[in-house]
Amino acid sequence: MSPPRRTTLKDLARELGVSTATISNAFNRPDQLSPALRERILGEAKRLGYRGPDAKARSLRTGRSRIIAVVLAESLTYSINDPVASELLSGIAEVLDAHGHTLLLLSGRQHVSQVPGSASIADGFIAYGLMPPSLMVSADLPAQRPLVAIDFSPAGYPTVHIDNEPASYMIARYALRTPARRPALVSLRLTAEPCNGRITEEHTLLPPESSITRSRLAGFHRALEERGFTPSDAPMWNIEENTFEVCAPVLEEILDLPDDERPDLLLCMSDRIALTALTLAEQRGLRIPEDLRLTGFDGIAEGQYRAPRLTTVRQDSVEKGRIAARMILGLAPSESTLLPTTLIVGDTAP
Amino acid sequence: MSPPRRTTLKDLARELGVSTATISNAFNRPDQLSPALRERILGEAKRLGYRGPDAKARSLRTGRSRIIAVVLAESLTYSINDPVASELLSGIAEVLDAHGHTLLLLSGRQHVSQVPGSASIADGFIAYGLMPPSLMVSADLPAQRPLVAIDFSPAGYPTVHIDNEPASYMIARYALRTPARRPALVSLRLTAEPCNGRITEEHTLLPPESSITRSRLAGFHRALEERGFTPSDAPMWNIEENTFEVCAPVLEEILDLPDDERPDLLLCMSDRIALTALTLAEQRGLRIPEDLRLTGFDGIAEGQYRAPRLTTVRQDSVEKGRIAARMILGLAPSESTLLPTTLIVGDTAP
DNA sequence: CTGTTAGCGCTTTCAC
DNA sequence: GTGAAAGCGCTAACAG
């Protein structure tokens, strides 16, 4: 017996006694044949279980797949659970969906060189987060296909960015209007070597240009200096991964300092960090904001649908995703874009 | 001048004076040619900017793309922000990643018939959530490619499920050990017609077999009946979408009832619902658990990394995803699986 | 309006 | 160990 081969366009053509071109047209260019014939073809197709042109063959032939790849700097597992990355993906998905494209998720974190071969199927790439250097440098990915970067700036490609330094300056400045005696910073991924804990003289920091965390740090320091603090006055802690699990021990270390050493203002580089600090502080009976004031960064929903609400800077990550997606689809000019941020005054640093 | 055509395997072969088969072997079957030649080929490939076989052509030829599609019942925008769906995707991504596959995200919610043509590129499908009836019935998707369903049961396909009825019976029974005077249920997507608010006699519910919410309801009712309540004793509210924004108004309606009508026990069908209730209750100065006891469902991290911690049922969504992914990759036998759930006793219903 | 034809770029027997 | 050749299933000229 014959193998259970999938019905092809050619089978259908033979069956109906028309040419393959006509079948193809019936599916792709309705205006190229009589409605009656088209009806007949579509009907027969359904009867024979033919579901329309095969995507693999079609994409080989046309050169386009209607697939856009999103390359994430972190592992997928992490990215999907990070509220900021999620919002970003939402924005991307929204636009792609509306235009009949689909989303291929890739992690840039794995063996850098072997970004899966299946990637080359994509019509375009959106890259998010600081890529591993090798990937960045060689700009290995795009193989002359369009690429838009979000939150980092590989040379020669359009970027969607926020104004990190001014944004963190803005919130730090706001928080410092109320005098703080012991301000401290809790940063995300700031050191060259992985570190979960206090940053000391021993640590070297990531290079200033390549990392959004360095930009945010600069903003914090600018505001602190305006208030008469030197950078070394404000101790810094580093957190490698923006998850409850990783944040919690570092923040416990901070909150469990003796009363006269414990910071009274925590400038955090993400809402996740700030929210974890908030929870742990409440568990310890610290009063917010009397005993401890807190600021976040991102403006995620979780920080606002609670009491006390987080004081933070909002960046519109969904919109970042939308813009990148529009660029990649050619719906908007591919020019680097800087999105504004806004201060959200909540209850944790009124 | 010639168009800027992408380098192909054939170009490379011509350039090197070998056959295309040899180039192909250099990339795919190192044992089929001398190491020296392979080196030379790979070197020249890099020099000419050839990044290895084109995924579109390769997948047409081999019939496999190393892409697995995940079809989500809800919109991508929603799914990515839902903690349970996110965990699921994490589990799937973890396994696919480890085996060199990538993840294509599809939403089943859009025009049902037009699941994007690009879907047929996938080697297999993982479908999550109750599909729109038409999609379910015709099982239109798989086109004789493997399909694994999660949290619903299309006839003839393997499924990954949890024991919803016993799980909700378990938590309701636990919560009702402490006598409740006015228990109430807050359900997710239980009515045939969309409804955000109280469920009345007017509403028809979704059919029992097809929805996990009906199963959970059955568990709640079983526990209530053991305590001498009839189903009509416990008022029900319905929520269409598991987001803060949609949950909040419904829960406000409940919490703002006069003291002698306000429920003193809220059995919620998701942690998101319960957490939103918790926040709103705290804002209203209700004491938890003295004035109001609350249970959730899912066991998401957000509910445990806070105070008070949520009393809930934990389902391991990450593991659900892993199992489905293993099945689809043929790493595990494709047989329907029922995962266990566990009770988490937190502070909201001690 | 319909059919013929020439590949898209690659993998894979099967000879050599 | 290496090469020649036959398509995978489809689309887009082009000719009728």
Side-chain angles (χ1 to χ4, degrees):
Chain A
M1 67 177 253
S2 68
R5 207 168 50 73
R6 191 156 145 7
T7 317
T8 73
L9 179 149
K10 203 192 243 167
D11 300 334
L12 195 53
R14 196 176 342 89
E15 195 77 17
L16 278 158
V18 300
S19 86
T20 60
T22 303
I23 308 285
S24 176
N25 284 334
F27 283 97
N28 300 318
R29 312 154 86 185
D31 53 313
Q32 295 296 299
L33 74 176
S34 67
L37 177 55
R38 187 171 128 92
E39 276 313 298
R40 195 159 74 88
I41 291 176
L42 264 38
E44 190 71 357
K46 181 165 280 174
R47 206 180 59 69
L48 289 174
Y50 178 72
R51 297 164 192 298
D54 176 78
K56 298 195 253 292
R58 185 220 282 266
S59 67
L60 173 59
R61 179 60 235 233
T62 62
R64 305 193 323 102
S65 60
R66 311 206 122 230
I67 290 175
I68 301 295
V70 174
V71 187
L72 298 156
E74 307 292 323
S75 72
L76 297 192
T77 300
Y78 167 78
S79 299
I80 289 168
N81 287 304
D82 182 68
V84 176
S86 292
E87 284 192 18
L88 199 85
L89 287 171
S90 294
I92 295 172
E94 178 191 315
V95 173
L96 294 188
D97 237 49
H99 295 272
H101 283 246
T102 50
L103 189 54
L104 187 70
L105 243 35
L106 301 175
S107 163
R109 204 77 187 295
Q110 43 204 359
H111 286 280
V112 176
S113 55
Q114 65 172 50
V115 168
S118 43
S120 70
I121 207 152
D123 293 340
F125 294 85
I126 297 174
Y128 172 59
L130 190 62
M131 295 286 121
S134 43
L135 232 177
M136 257 182 66
V137 169
S138 66
D140 221 21
L141 217 40
Q144 51 237 45
R145 269 196 224 62
L147 170 84
V148 173
I150 300 179
D151 280 359
F152 77 111
S153 308
Y157 293 98
T159 302
V160 184
H161 244 313
I162 57 164
D163 46 351
N164 281 292
E165 198 276 349
S168 46
Y169 169 71
M170 168 170 66
I171 187 152
R173 183 159 174 273
Y174 179 83
L176 288 165
R177 282 190 338 173
T178 308
R181 276 176 305 158
R182 289 184 299 278
L185 311 183
V186 190
S187 173
L188 216 44
R189 192 73 67 75
L190 191 57
T191 54
E193 300 297 314
C195 158
N196 282 299
R198 175 111 185 226
I199 300 179
T200 66
E201 311 255 309
E202 315 263 292
H203 295 94
T204 48
L205 302 189
L206 289 173
E209 330 71 39
S210 69
S211 60
I212 60 177
T213 51
R214 279 304 292 269
S215 305
R216 292 187 189 171
L217 181 63
F220 287 160
H221 278 161
R222 179 150 65 97
L224 283 166
E225 283 167 13
E226 276 188 12
R227 282 284 166 181
F229 294 99
T230 68
S232 60
D233 289 335
M236 300 197 289
W237 279 265
N238 188 62
I239 287 176
E240 283 298 313
E241 200 176 76
N242 196 32
T243 58
F244 295 117
E245 292 79 356
V246 177
C247 290
V250 177
L251 292 163
E252 284 170 352
E253 178 186 322
I254 299 175
L255 296 175
D256 290 339
L257 287 170
D259 278 3
D260 57 343
E261 287 181 36
R262 191 184 344 99
D264 59 347
L265 171 63
L266 239 38
L267 300 171
C268 305
M269 278 202 199
S270 81
D271 282 0
R272 262 283 159 87
I273 296 176
L275 287 170
T276 308
L278 182 51
T279 301
L280 293 171
E282 285 174 338
Q283 282 176 3
R284 282 160 177 69
L286 294 175
R287 289 165 309 159
I288 312 289
E290 294 81 359
D291 300 330
L292 175 66
R293 290 183 307 126
L294 284 168
T295 65
F297 198 112
D298 292 332
I300 63 177
E302 215 178 308
Q304 301 308 311
Y305 286 86
R306 68 176 325 287
R309 285 173 311 118
L310 203 57
T311 296
T312 189
V313 180
R314 167 152 181 76
Q315 62 167 321
D316 193 341
S317 300
V318 177
E319 185 64 14
K320 275 206 284 204
R322 286 195 200 105
I323 291 176
R326 281 196 213 106
M327 283 185 190
I328 221 68
L329 294 183
L331 301 168
S334 284
E335 38 198 43
S336 291
T337 307
L338 194 67
L339 292 184
T341 49
T342 55
L343 182 66
I344 298 183
V345 177
D347 312 310
T348 61
Chain B
M1 67 178 253
S2 69
R5 209 168 48 75
R6 193 155 142 13
T7 319
T8 73
L9 179 149
K10 202 192 246 168
D11 300 334
L12 194 53
R14 195 176 344 91
E15 195 77 18
L16 279 159
V18 299
S19 86
T20 60
T22 303
I23 309 286
S24 176
N25 284 335
F27 283 96
N28 301 318
R29 312 155 85 184
D31 52 314
Q32 295 295 300
L33 73 177
S34 66
L37 179 55
R38 188 172 127 91
E39 275 314 300
R40 196 159 73 88
I41 291 176
L42 264 35
E44 189 71 358
K46 181 165 278 175
R47 206 179 58 70
L48 289 174
Y50 178 73
R51 298 163 193 299
D54 176 79
K56 298 196 252 293
R58 185 219 283 265
S59 68
L60 173 59
R61 178 62 234 234
T62 62
R64 302 191 329 102
S65 60
R66 312 205 123 230
I67 290 174
I68 301 294
V70 175
V71 187
L72 297 156
E74 307 292 324
S75 72
L76 296 193
T77 300
Y78 167 76
S79 299
I80 289 168
N81 288 303
D82 183 68
V84 177
S86 294
E87 285 192 18
L88 199 84
L89 287 171
S90 295
I92 295 172
E94 178 191 314
V95 173
L96 294 187
D97 238 49
H99 295 273
H101 284 246
T102 49
L103 188 55
L104 187 69
L105 241 35
L106 301 175
S107 163
R109 203 77 189 297
Q110 43 204 1
H111 287 278
V112 176
S113 54
Q114 63 171 52
V115 167
S118 41
S120 70
I121 208 151
D123 293 340
F125 294 86
I126 297 175
Y128 171 60
L130 190 63
M131 294 286 121
S134 42
L135 234 177
M136 258 184 66
V137 169
S138 66
D140 222 20
L141 217 41
Q144 49 237 46
R145 270 196 222 63
L147 171 85
V148 174
I150 300 179
D151 281 0
F152 77 112
S153 307
Y157 293 99
T159 302
V160 184
H161 244 312
I162 57 163
D163 47 353
N164 282 291
E165 199 275 349
S168 47
Y169 169 72
M170 168 170 66
I171 187 152
R173 183 160 174 272
Y174 178 83
L176 288 165
R177 282 188 339 172
T178 307
R181 275 176 306 157
R182 288 184 301 277
L185 311 184
V186 190
S187 172
L188 216 44
R189 192 72 67 74
L190 191 56
T191 55
E193 301 297 313
C195 158
N196 282 299
R198 176 112 185 225
I199 301 179
T200 66
E201 311 254 307
E202 316 262 293
H203 294 94
T204 49
L205 302 189
L206 289 173
E209 330 73 40
S210 68
S211 60
I212 61 177
T213 50
R214 278 305 291 269
S215 305
R216 292 187 191 171
L217 181 63
F220 287 160
H221 279 161
R222 178 151 66 97
L224 283 166
E225 283 166 11
E226 276 187 12
R227 282 285 164 180
F229 293 99
T230 67
S232 59
D233 290 335
M236 300 197 287
W237 278 264
N238 189 61
I239 287 175
E240 283 298 314
E241 200 175 76
N242 196 31
T243 58
F244 296 117
E245 291 80 354
V246 176
C247 290
V250 176
L251 291 163
E252 284 171 351
E253 179 186 322
I254 300 175
L255 296 175
D256 289 338
L257 287 170
D259 278 4
D260 58 342
E261 288 180 36
R262 193 186 338 102
D264 59 345
L265 171 64
L266 238 38
L267 301 171
C268 305
M269 277 201 199
S270 81
D271 282 359
R272 261 283 159 87
I273 297 176
L275 287 170
T276 308
L278 181 51
T279 300
L280 294 172
E282 285 175 338
Q283 282 176 3
R284 281 160 176 69
L286 295 174
R287 290 166 307 159
I288 311 289
E290 295 81 0
D291 300 330
L292 175 67
R293 290 184 304 125
L294 284 168
T295 66
F297 198 110
D298 292 332
I300 64 177
E302 213 177 310
Q304 302 308 311
Y305 285 87
R306 72 180 319 290
R309 284 175 310 118
L310 203 56
T311 296
T312 189
V313 180
R314 167 153 180 76
Q315 61 167 321
D316 193 340
S317 300
V318 177
E319 184 64 14
K320 276 207 283 204
R322 285 195 201 105
I323 291 177
R326 281 196 213 105
M327 283 186 190
I328 221 67
L329 294 183
L331 302 168
S334 284
E335 37 196 43
S336 291
T337 306
L338 195 67
L339 292 184
T341 49
T342 55
L343 183 66
I344 298 183
V345 177
D347 312 310
T348 61

